[in-house]
Amino acid sequence: MIQYLIDGPLWYFSLAVFFIGVVWQLIAVVFTGNKADLSVPRDSAASGAIKTFFSRFVPHREIAPAIMLPVVAGYMFHLGLFALLFFAAPHVVFLEENLLGFGWTPMPHWAFIVAAQFAFFGLIVLWLRRLVNPVSRLISTLDDHIAAILTFVVMLTGCFALLEGSTGLRLLHRFTVELWLIYFPFSALMHTFTFVPSRMLTGAWFGRRGVDA
Amino acid sequence: MSEQLERGLETLRGEIDNKVKAFFSSCVRCGICAEACLFYTETSDPRYTPIYKTEPLRKLWENEYSFWGKLKSALGMSQAMTEADLADWEELVYDGCSMCGRCSMVCPVGVDISGIIFKVKHGLSQAGFSPEGLVGATQRAVDIGSPMGITLTTVQAMIKHVEADTGLKVPMDVEGADYMALLSSNEIALYPEYLESLVKIFDHAGVSWTLSSDAFEATNAGLQLGDKSIAGQLVQRVVDGAEKLKVKNVISPECGHAYTALRWEGPNFIGKAYPFRVVHILELLDELKAEGRLKTSGQESERLTFHDPCSIVRRGGINAQPRNLLGAISGNFVEMADHGNMNWCCGGGGGVSSNERAHELKLTAFNKKKSQIEATGAEALVTACSNCRTTLEEGVESNEMEIEVLGLTEMIAAHLEERPAS
Ligand code: SF4
Ligand code: SF4
């Protein structure tokens, strides 16, 4: 019964919440009114948007030394998670059979271990920093902690499921993924998508003023 | 709920646009922006973290626009915003932010934090949570036409002195002139040499220009206060003056926030595009130089460095021009380590210098500039904003630093090539 629920209705429900929620939130961002700027632009807003979208992948030289820890941990976590999500062998098979109809070469086991270590290390460092750094502690919300813990649990159950290969662990992992998907659109996890319009809107603003941002 | 609080919250609601939604839903609370802010780096107080200064608007967004806020409200569990939610932020936003925009350059998800802080200021100003000094200055700007209470008579007296000193006429109310020049309050009250320099440079370059007796001041206290309606009224005065004289261009003074108000925000404040071009004085000088109409001679030998006014460079896009101009008159120019778009603020922008309550904090924030200046070993510090200049002079004075503070336009005027007698 539990297996049926987790592999069936709950899975489809969580997917529906995820996709509809994400699209809904993005529509709210993209289609909410924004008054036209009546000042005469000095330069192109479009090229500013594109420039800033890419430039923010790398920290400014002037502040890089002060933010090394969150930047390095952030990259380790995001790259590790990306690799696990799209290149872990069970995920490739799952995506091929259940969603896409095609697959690609998964990463070897040793690469899985490295990616998992990156992702865990990055996430733990970022979360500890959230707890101990006075600035991050002050500005963090309950949502940030729930998002971090939920992501951690999903990764942990995923690793156990893969390493142990038991049905129970696989179900537990899938269940946590479903919770994560349902939580995603209403949480800080949405930055996965909203950072794109955020960077581009700011870049366009700077671009029309002729500022390289 | 008091009427004032409701007005403030209503103003904040009106500020929630697609940018605010994109920004608040993408902020990951990493705190990186703190490292870009001189009020945080110089005090180590986490309350000065840039994104924390936007908390009133974030809270409103969370309560009324986010899924959880709406759910709580439907279940009768939401907590209404109170006066304290706004009052507690007055000091952070007005005293602890110079609107320098440095934080907006570093956010990894691209949040324009200082843009949101301006929106918060708008809400606070409507709810009556703004520093007295700034409110008074804004009131004087509305009533008298100048935040420092400067009248046309004062300007006329200054013009007389300038004409006597230079032997040149200051054109007033000349219809059809190419350019209408504006002054900032500080340039009238503290640095009359700015107008003197304009007269000399424009005579040298053969520029057709005028002052307007209806609109001589560009300082915009409404922008500093965050009151868009007053900011719009002050911009409209300039627009009316320029339209009356049918000028083709309006010259913004060096003053950074006056430039922002006039060049970038003004058309949005008054709801229409201008029938004239706005050009910053440094842009114009650079253009005249490129056209060969502005010729300089001689070079300063002392070691010079340049303080970029934030509103001109980072929020205004004027970066190369001061360097081109300085390059022409200095043989010993040295950049600060962080300059141009990533310069550090002097600490006095965004109305901080008009806010007496913020005096001590401003001097603490100045420590960043102090260490930057000292690292260059410069003997003179050049800038191009009278507000920065007073803040820098104050900082230099109170830290007993041995460095002269100079205005760039005056330096150019001092190096004009002698024209052969005709
Ligand atoms: S740097 Fe950007 S994402 Fe990080 S806390 Fe500041 S505003 Fe939020
Ligand atoms: S605009 Fe400047 S002073 Fe204000 S919060 Fe951002 S970095 Fe700090």
Side-chain angles (χ1 to χ4, degrees):
Chain A
M1 177 65 184
I2 287 180
Q3 179 167 358
Y4 165 74
L5 256 183
I6 291 175
D7 280 341
L10 193 56
W11 170 244
Y12 292 110
F13 174 72
S14 60
L15 272 186
V17 171
F18 175 80
F19 282 114
I20 295 170
V22 166
V23 170
W24 183 269
Q25 300 280 27
L26 286 177
I27 285 176
V29 166
V30 176
F31 291 102
T32 303
N34 193 15
K35 284 187 201 138
D37 194 333
L38 299 171
S39 63
V40 181
R42 189 199 300 282
D43 215 330
S44 154
S47 70
I50 294 166
K51 231 185 251 173
T52 301
F53 173 75
F54 288 107
S55 71
R56 298 295 167 106
F57 281 111
V58 183
H60 269 281
R61 173 189 58 76
E62 291 84 350
I63 112 159
I67 58 167
M68 237 356 141
L69 181 72
V71 169
V72 171
Y75 266 108
M76 288 179 80
F77 165 63
H78 284 97
L79 292 176
L81 186 65
F82 182 83
L84 293 178
L85 202 56
F86 294 107
F87 293 97
H91 288 168
V92 175
V93 174
F94 181 84
L95 288 171
E96 181 174 6
E97 289 176 357
N98 294 286
L99 275 178
L100 304 173
F102 61 89
W104 49 87
T105 313
M107 59 185 166
H109 189 73
W110 66 263
F112 172 87
I113 300 291
V114 172
Q117 281 173 346
F118 263 58
F120 274 111
F121 179 80
L123 182 58
I124 290 168
V125 168
L126 290 176
W127 192 50
L128 286 178
R129 184 174 172 274
R130 206 178 269 299
L131 293 175
V132 299
N133 178 287
V135 166
S136 319
R137 199 171 58 218
L138 177 72
I139 60 179
S140 291
T141 61
L142 178 65
D143 172 32
D144 297 315
H145 295 290
I146 297 176
I149 293 169
L150 211 48
T151 307
F152 179 81
V153 170
V154 168
M155 284 170 21
L156 194 68
T157 55
C159 285
F160 283 148
L162 183 80
L163 299 175
E164 298 296 323
S166 86
T167 307
L169 282 171
R170 183 191 65 77
L171 279 178
L172 182 64
H173 177 55
R174 191 150 178 183
F175 178 64
T176 58
V177 170
E178 286 162 354
L179 291 182
W180 190 83
L181 287 173
I182 292 169
Y183 189 65
F184 191 105
F186 315 108
S187 70
L189 297 169
M190 263 306 284
H191 78 270
T192 313
F193 298 105
T194 50
F195 87 98
V196 179
S198 175
R199 281 187 188 180
M200 294 185 90
L201 285 164
T202 295
W205 186 94
F206 275 113
R208 68 193 306 291
R209 292 188 181 208
V211 179
D212 235 350
Chain B
M1 184 184 295
S2 77
E3 211 177 287
Q4 267 198 326
L5 173 64
E6 189 43 53
R7 197 168 58 228
L9 293 179
E10 209 34 55
T11 306
L12 287 177
R13 278 185 199 105
E15 291 289 353
I16 296 186
D17 54 12
N18 65 346
K19 284 187 179 176
V20 171
K21 288 184 181 176
F23 294 159
F24 284 142
S25 58
S26 53
C27 171
V28 287
R29 263 81 63 183
C30 62
I32 281 176
C33 48
E35 298 296 341
C37 177
L38 72 168
F39 289 91
Y40 169 72
T41 58
E42 303 314 296
T43 61
S44 300
D45 183 344
R47 292 181 321 122
Y48 292 123
T49 300
I51 197 66
Y52 190 62
K53 295 170 191 167
T54 70
E55 196 59 12
L57 191 58
R58 196 201 66 79
K59 207 165 169 183
L60 189 81
W61 167 81
E62 190 180 70
N63 279 356
E64 300 183 10
Y65 294 82
S66 77
F67 171 79
W68 297 111
K70 284 181 183 159
L71 185 69
K72 274 191 203 161
S73 163
L75 299 173
M77 289 165 61
S78 72
Q79 276 190 328
M81 285 184 68
T82 62
E83 308 247 336
D85 285 317
L86 303 188
D88 293 351
W89 262 259
E90 182 193 318
E91 188 263 340
L92 292 186
V93 168
Y94 285 103
D95 304 16
C97 174
S98 56
M99 297 298 297
C100 75
R102 199 167 190 266
C103 48
S104 298
M105 301 292 287
V106 304
C107 170
V109 297
V111 177
D112 178 14
I113 309 157
S114 58
I116 318 184
I117 294 176
F118 183 68
K119 288 171 181 283
V120 173
K121 271 188 164 186
H122 191 199
L124 293 188
S125 69
Q126 298 309 300
F129 296 113
S130 333
E132 253 175 53
L134 212 47
V135 174
T138 311
Q139 200 52 52
R140 281 191 296 280
V142 174
D143 298 340
I144 306 170
S146 158
M148 289 171 108
I150 289 161
T151 60
L152 180 60
T153 319
T154 320
V155 178
Q156 283 166 335
M158 176 173 79
I159 288 174
K160 257 192 203 153
H161 283 296
V162 168
E163 289 182 337
D165 289 350
T166 59
L168 296 165
K169 179 116 191 77
V170 177
M172 194 65 156
D173 296 327
V174 179
E175 213 178 290
D178 286 344
Y179 293 88
M180 180 178 103
L182 294 165
L183 306 166
S184 72
S185 307
N186 276 348
E187 283 155 2
I188 301 169
L190 303 172
Y191 308 113
E193 55 270 33
Y194 174 73
L195 180 62
E196 197 171 314
S197 306
L198 288 192
V199 180
K200 287 182 188 162
I201 294 170
F202 291 162
D203 175 68
H204 165 95
V207 172
S208 139
W209 73 290
T210 185
L211 285 179
S212 157
S213 52
D214 294 327
F216 48 85
E217 216 189 283
T219 307
N220 196 313
L223 182 86
Q224 296 177 324
L225 184 65
D227 188 320
K228 290 186 181 178
S229 145
I230 294 180
Q233 282 178 45
L234 300 176
V235 168
Q236 189 63 53
R237 258 183 218 166
V238 173
V239 173
D240 291 344
E243 284 183 340
K244 188 172 161 193
L245 295 179
K246 300 185 185 72
V247 295
K248 299 182 195 76
N249 305 276
V250 169
I251 307 169
S252 160
E254 285 188 341
C255 172
H257 90 272
Y259 177 63
T260 298
L262 203 61
R263 170 67 175 89
W264 297 110
E265 303 297 351
N268 301 316
F269 288 152
I270 66 169
K272 63 174 191 180
Y274 302 147
F276 49 81
R277 175 177 83 125
V278 175
V279 61
H280 188 269
I281 181 65
L282 294 188
E283 280 181 291
L284 178 59
L285 297 182
D286 192 44
E287 282 172 20
L288 294 172
K289 182 174 166 288
E291 288 165 14
R293 292 167 69 187
L294 173 64
K295 293 201 171 81
T296 55
S297 69
Q299 293 210 318
E300 298 283 332
S301 57
E302 64 179 344
R303 200 172 172 83
L304 300 180
T305 189
F306 183 66
H307 165 73
D308 286 282
C310 308
S311 293
I312 292 174
V313 63
R314 183 159 46 235
R315 308 294 279 180
I318 298 176
N319 192 346
Q321 293 88 336
R323 289 166 172 85
N324 293 343
L325 294 166
L326 270 168
I329 55 166
S330 170
N332 195 1
F333 170 62
V334 54
E335 291 277 18
M336 293 186 207
D338 297 348
H339 59 267
N341 291 341
M342 284 300 283
N343 79 306
W344 287 94
C345 179
C346 60
V352 172
S353 60
S354 321
N355 173 6
E356 290 198 356
R357 191 182 62 193
H359 184 74
E360 282 307 311
L361 184 58
K362 179 182 70 179
L363 286 181
T364 306
F366 178 80
N367 285 334
K368 182 54 89 178
K369 196 87 246 171
K370 178 175 178 266
S371 55
Q372 267 197 297
I373 297 168
E374 283 172 349
T376 63
E379 296 152 278
L381 171 62
V382 185
T383 191
C385 166
S386 57
N387 189 50
C388 293
R389 191 164 163 189
T390 43
T391 307
L392 293 167
E393 281 174 351
E394 223 176 335
V396 162
E397 187 73 19
S398 59
N399 286 285
E400 295 173 5
M401 293 164 72
E402 293 289 321
I403 191 163
E404 202 183 354
V405 185
L406 304 165
L408 182 50
T409 306
E410 287 107 86
M411 290 191 69
I412 296 295
H415 280 274
L416 291 175
E417 194 175 85
E418 291 278 334
R419 279 182 314 196
S422 52

